[in-house]
Amino acid sequence: MRNRHSWIVAASLVAGHAWSQPVEPDPAVDGMPVVITPTRLRQSLADVPASVTVITQDMFRRWGITSIAEALRFVPGMAVTRGTDPAYRIGYHGTNVLSPRRMNVLIDGISVYRPAFSEVIWSQLPVVIDDIDRIEVTRAPSSASYGPNSMLAVVNIITRHPADVGKAYGALRLGTQESEAVARAGLDLRRTSLSLTAARSRDSGYDELARDPAGHDGLTLDRLNLRSSTRISDAASLDIQGAVVSGESEVEFADDFQQSYPDRQLRDLYLGALGRWQLSPRHELQVQLTHARQRNRQSWRSCPPAVALLPEMYAMWRANPAYANAILAGQQPAGGRPQDDLLALAALQAIAALGPAAVQPVCGTLNQDAVQSRTDLEIQDTFVASDTLRVVAGAGMRWQGGESETFLGGSVTSRLHWLFANVDLRPRNWLTLNIGGYYEDSDLSPSTFSPRVAANFRLSPRQTVRFAVSHGTRSPDIQEQRTNWSYTLTDLDPPLGGATTARFYQSRVGPGSLTSEQVRSREVGYLLNVPDAGLMLDARVFRERLYDLISERTNLAGLPPTNDNRVTLQGAEVQLSWQLSERSSAFVNYAYLDSRGASHPLERSQYSRHSGSVGVSREFAAGWFASAAYVGASGNGLAESAYGREDLTLGREWATDGWRWSFAAGVRRLDRPVTTYSNGDPSGLYGRYDSRLQGYLQLSARMR
């Protein structure tokens, strides 16, 4: 039995990067698919310490999936809400919809989590779906492998190796809401493989928004991706990646006084290099250096009343916001300190000096320009001590920062360091132990340690039961901890007191004392694999206690963020795939989630007690195929609507003189054309489509 795992040595030892060998079922491990994300080690699904959902390129084609965000609707327990801006708000097990920031997202093992503002902007990811080989979703706290911000789950988007993309590829997608054109070229130069992908996409968004009947939330993006892989020697290789994303994002709303749309001009840059050295057949070292820089330019005209721009009101708000609000409401402030009374007197005198002009609008230009950057250096050592013991360990450091006069009052930087290790131990043929931990030291918050222990019992070659206990964290971001938020209006018309620049009276300074969010998770899992019948079943029950949560969103007027919040999540998930025949397949996914004891309403703003998906597909003669699928969620959260849709896809694949062609047509029916979601209060927001029916056509060609 132990020799059955010796194939691991022959395969690539490293799991943190996608450009190792493709994941295929291996007969040496009972036909179980192999994944790389949960522990940074290649493992059979029967041996990993968590449930994993794998979405392959074939599934994109078969089920008509045209975006990463829509692909994640097929993951049990994944909450997907389309807001505006345009923005998908995606979180495993939901919780806070305003800032879904408790799930890490990797591309080829490299995090694309933006640390300055705790965000993943799904629509701006530096990858097109045509370049994706598969997506692995680890459905459990994964801080033990990837550190803070992997608090509830990890999504690893794994791209195709440059040697596998072919010489040329082109695709055109035209839909009622989205369109995209993709071109890719591949080149092999003896020891080096290159691929270059260029794409332009357009998402028209909703047809109507709560704050804008015109539905101003479209997105236009250009992407350019370059990848290379060089075999330096038989024992060493170097992979290089570079990507640029640029475009314009329409934004319908920024403040109550705006006179123009606050659209965003964006430009993102990603660079990465990975070196690998095979020190021996059982020992590999990798060094990875990455850099990301995201720049947003966002300005608009706004016309607040003159009284809101007085420096005396700015000073009053800084000292006592209640006094400032009372003055603007025409009330006499009271109950504060003597110095508050003096500031109130100065503000009232300044208002009196303006006279009737105090309530007249003064127009100026506002901006929310921001730059985020992060540079990561990580060393990872993978060692196979024997057929029963494998270890992966490493260390890294990150330099991260944000620049924004509006949000941060200038530039703020931060540095952090980490150590990690994961051990795969097989003391018996029927038992696999996974033990791991991740230590991080940061100057933003106190240091954290995230452990995980799991035991997988093979009841038979086809059945495994898993028990796992883990602790995960999410570190406060730069804005939460060190925000210095205020708005400065420039080019005032008319000038205020002879000045053409003024500050809006409200401001916010970060608390500086926040600690990391915490989760303690327990789960029991069951995996059944029957290769002869093409059947695989994964089921889990879990209980996650989240505490020290930073639920309040950083803003100007509301309460400052704290660590005073908590919620408990418990439930069950089932994932079933079945190859019904040589040409037919089906899947069923279902998640039951019970949210209890939420101390803040936002922790129930993205919550569905029931969610799931089901689908069937069929291959026909002459390359034709068809599929039907349903995706739904009950929508039990604060001001959240239920979601449901039916998808029908029809396509064909064929070959001609060195080219591989693919055609697909899809029709989607929404159960309701309106989506509602929370904006922090029970009233909610909504986006509306003109029709319940959506469709697309796609044609692609690849030179083999």
Side-chain angles (χ1 to χ4, degrees), residues 55-57 59-61 63-75 80-82 87-88 90 121-125 127-132 134-135 155 157 173 177-180 182 201-203 219 221 223 643 645 647 668 689 694 696 698:
I55 306 172
T56 65
Q57 180 65 224
M59 294 169 66
F60 297 158
R61 173 193 67 88
W63 305 107
I65 299 172
T66 58
S67 73
I68 296 170
E70 293 301 325
L72 294 180
R73 292 190 188 273
F74 292 86
V75 177
V80 181
T81 301
R82 172 152 190 162
Y88 278 94
I90 303 177
I121 303 182
W122 293 91
S123 56
Q124 293 175 214
L125 293 180
V127 64
V128 296
I129 201 165
D130 307 74
D131 283 343
I132 297 174
R134 65 192 184 278
I135 301 173
V155 176
I157 301 165
R173 279 185 287 272
Q177 305 299 131
E178 303 174 359
S179 61
E180 185 172 36
V182 180
S201 61
R202 169 67 183 173
D203 185 340
L219 175 67
L221 287 179
R223 290 184 175 90
Y643 180 84
R645 73 166 201 243
D647 293 351
R668 173 177 299 166
Y689 294 109
Q694 299 176 357
Y696 80 96
Q698 174 177 301

Side-chain angles (χ1 to χ4, degrees), residues 576-610:
L576 171 69
S577 61
W578 193 359
Q579 191 69 34
L580 301 173
S581 68
E582 184 178 354
R583 293 191 172 188
S584 300
S585 63
F587 74 89
V588 177
N589 297 323
Y590 171 72
Y592 171 81
L593 180 64
D594 182 17
S595 175
R596 296 186 175 188
S599 62
H600 194 287
L602 282 178
E603 295 303 340
R604 284 179 58 91
S605 59
Q606 191 177 42
Y607 167 56
S608 291
R609 185 177 296 271
H610 305 280

Side-chain angles (χ1 to χ4, degrees), residues 285-593:
L285 181 71
Q286 76 171 37
V287 178
Q288 186 168 263
L289 177 64
T290 61
H291 175 73
R293 186 177 187 271
Q294 296 94 14
R295 185 194 71 189
N296 288 329
R297 294 286 182 260
Q298 184 181 22
S299 62
W300 68 98
R301 294 290 286 180
S302 185
C303 299
V307 63
L309 303 179
L310 290 173
E312 293 83 0
M313 286 298 299
Y314 180 84
M316 184 74 266
W317 175 272
R318 283 268 182 166
N320 191 325
Y323 264 46
N325 288 332
I327 290 172
L328 289 179
Q331 301 170 358
Q332 183 66 37
R337 301 166 300 175
Q339 52 265 45
D340 295 338
D341 295 332
L342 291 176
L343 290 172
L345 178 60
L348 290 169
Q349 289 174 344
I351 295 171
L354 283 178
V359 296
Q360 296 301 311
V362 176
C363 297
T365 300
L366 291 171
N367 81 76
Q368 292 184 154
D369 296 349
V371 175
Q372 301 184 67
S373 63
R374 60 181 284 172
T375 301
D376 291 64
L377 174 63
E378 184 177 85
I379 300 173
Q380 177 175 302
D381 192 337
T382 307
F383 180 63
V384 178
S386 67
D387 291 343
T388 60
L389 176 63
R390 294 186 300 156
V391 180
V392 57
M397 63 176 59
R398 176 185 304 153
W399 299 267
Q400 60 189 26
E403 301 174 27
S404 176
E405 291 297 331
T406 297
F407 296 121
L408 302 173
S411 177
V412 178
T413 60
S414 173
R415 181 178 297 182
L416 53 92
H417 308 80
W418 63 85
L419 300 169
F420 67 89
N422 281 280
V423 177
D424 176 270
L425 178 64
R426 297 178 173 88
R428 295 289 186 270
N429 294 339
W430 46 267
L431 174 63
T432 300
L433 299 177
N434 285 280
I435 304 170
Y438 194 108
Y439 171 81
E440 181 176 277
D441 178 61
S442 170
D443 57 14
L444 274 179
S445 60
S447 61
T448 62
F449 178 67
S450 302
R452 175 177 58 200
V453 177
N456 292 43
F457 299 88
R458 291 209 176 194
L459 306 180
S460 71
R462 297 182 174 185
Q463 298 182 80
T464 300
V465 173
R466 176 184 67 253
F467 300 90
V469 178
S470 61
H471 177 239
T473 61
R474 184 192 75 85
S475 299
D477 63 48
I478 289 175
Q479 187 189 26
E480 288 170 326
Q481 194 75 289
R482 300 184 183 176
T483 189
N484 187 4
W485 191 348
S486 65
Y487 286 99
T488 298
L489 282 77
T490 60
D491 303 322
L492 293 182
D493 182 23
L496 183 63
T500 58
T501 300
R503 278 187 176 181
F504 189 68
Y505 79 102
Q506 291 178 329
S507 64
R508 170 72 69 194
V509 176
S513 58
L514 296 173
T515 62
S516 294
E517 298 183 324
Q518 311 284 326
V519 60
R520 294 191 183 276
S521 173
R522 293 174 293 174
E523 73 163 81
V524 179
Y526 171 76
L527 182 68
L528 171 67
N529 183 38
V530 187
D532 298 341
L535 175 68
M536 181 169 288
L537 169 69
D538 180 285
R540 67 186 292 253
V541 292
F542 60 88
R543 179 181 173 85
E544 299 167 343
R545 186 170 67 89
L546 287 72
Y547 58 99
D548 292 345
L549 299 183
I550 307 170
S551 302
E552 305 88 354
R553 189 178 188 181
T554 303
N555 54 42
L556 288 180
L559 296 173
T562 70
N563 284 109
D564 297 339
N565 301 290
R566 63 193 178 278
V567 67
T568 296
L569 306 174
Q570 59 187 28
E573 295 169 355
V574 177
Q575 178 177 273
L576 171 69
S577 61
W578 193 359
Q579 191 69 34
L580 301 173
S581 68
E582 184 178 354
R583 293 191 172 188
S584 300
S585 63
F587 74 89
V588 177
N589 297 323
Y590 171 72
Y592 171 81
L593 180 64

Side-chain angles (χ1 to χ4, degrees), residues 66-329:
T66 58
S67 73
I68 296 170
E70 293 301 325
L72 294 180
R73 292 190 188 273
F74 292 86
V75 177
M78 194 67 71
V80 181
T81 301
R82 172 152 190 162
T84 60
D85 196 7
Y88 278 94
R89 300 167 181 176
I90 303 177
Y92 184 60
H93 291 169
T95 64
N96 193 325
V97 74
L98 290 186
S99 300
R101 54 202 174 187
R102 295 166 184 154
M103 180 175 71
N104 206 350
V105 180
L106 316 175
I107 297 180
D108 293 330
I110 302 170
S111 176
V112 291
Y113 194 95
R114 302 186 180 201
F117 301 114
S118 274
E119 58 185 357
V120 174
I121 303 182
W122 293 91
S123 56
Q124 293 175 214
L125 293 180
V127 64
V128 296
I129 201 165
D130 307 74
D131 283 343
I132 297 174
D133 178 67
R134 65 192 184 278
I135 301 173
E136 294 182 3
V137 183
T138 304
R139 296 171 12 240
S142 299
S143 297
S145 293
Y146 298 98
N149 310 322
S150 306
M151 183 177 180
L152 293 178
V154 167
V155 176
N156 192 8
I157 301 165
I158 299 174
T159 63
R160 293 179 170 182
H161 192 283
D164 298 330
V165 300
K167 296 180 179 179
Y169 173 86
L172 179 64
R173 279 185 287 272
L174 300 174
T176 54
Q177 305 299 131
E178 303 174 359
S179 61
E180 185 172 36
V182 180
R184 183 177 65 213
L187 182 64
D188 283 325
L189 301 171
R190 297 184 62 187
R191 290 181 174 269
T192 299
S193 298
L194 294 167
S195 69
L196 178 66
T197 302
R200 164 161 282 198
S201 61
R202 169 67 183 173
D203 185 340
S204 60
Y206 290 110
D207 298 307
E208 179 185 342
L209 300 171
R211 293 184 174 123
D212 188 351
H216 187 82
D217 66 335
L219 175 67
T220 301
L221 287 179
D222 294 313
R223 290 184 175 90
L224 186 66
N225 296 73
L226 175 66
R227 300 176 176 86
S228 74
S229 182
T230 301
R231 176 62 63 179
I232 299 173
S233 68
D234 291 341
S237 64
L238 176 65
D239 297 338
I240 296 176
Q241 295 189 52
V244 178
V245 182
S246 61
E248 180 178 17
S249 176
E250 296 176 346
V251 182
E252 90 286 6
F253 179 81
D255 74 72
D256 293 328
F257 308 108
Q258 68 185 43
Q259 301 298 306
S260 63
Y261 284 121
D263 294 343
R264 293 189 299 120
Q265 307 295 322
L266 59 98
R267 186 175 182 85
D268 302 341
L269 172 67
Y270 300 85
L271 299 171
L274 172 71
R276 288 181 288 189
W277 292 267
Q278 196 85 24
L279 304 179
S280 76
R282 292 177 175 267
H283 193 187
E284 184 174 84
L285 181 71
Q286 76 171 37
V287 178
Q288 186 168 263
L289 177 64
T290 61
H291 175 73
R293 186 177 187 271
Q294 296 94 14
R295 185 194 71 189
N296 288 329
R297 294 286 182 260
Q298 184 181 22
S299 62
W300 68 98
R301 294 290 286 180
S302 185
C303 299
V307 63
L309 303 179
L310 290 173
E312 293 83 0
M313 286 298 299
Y314 180 84
M316 184 74 266
W317 175 272
R318 283 268 182 166
N320 191 325
Y323 264 46
N325 288 332
I327 290 172
L328 289 179

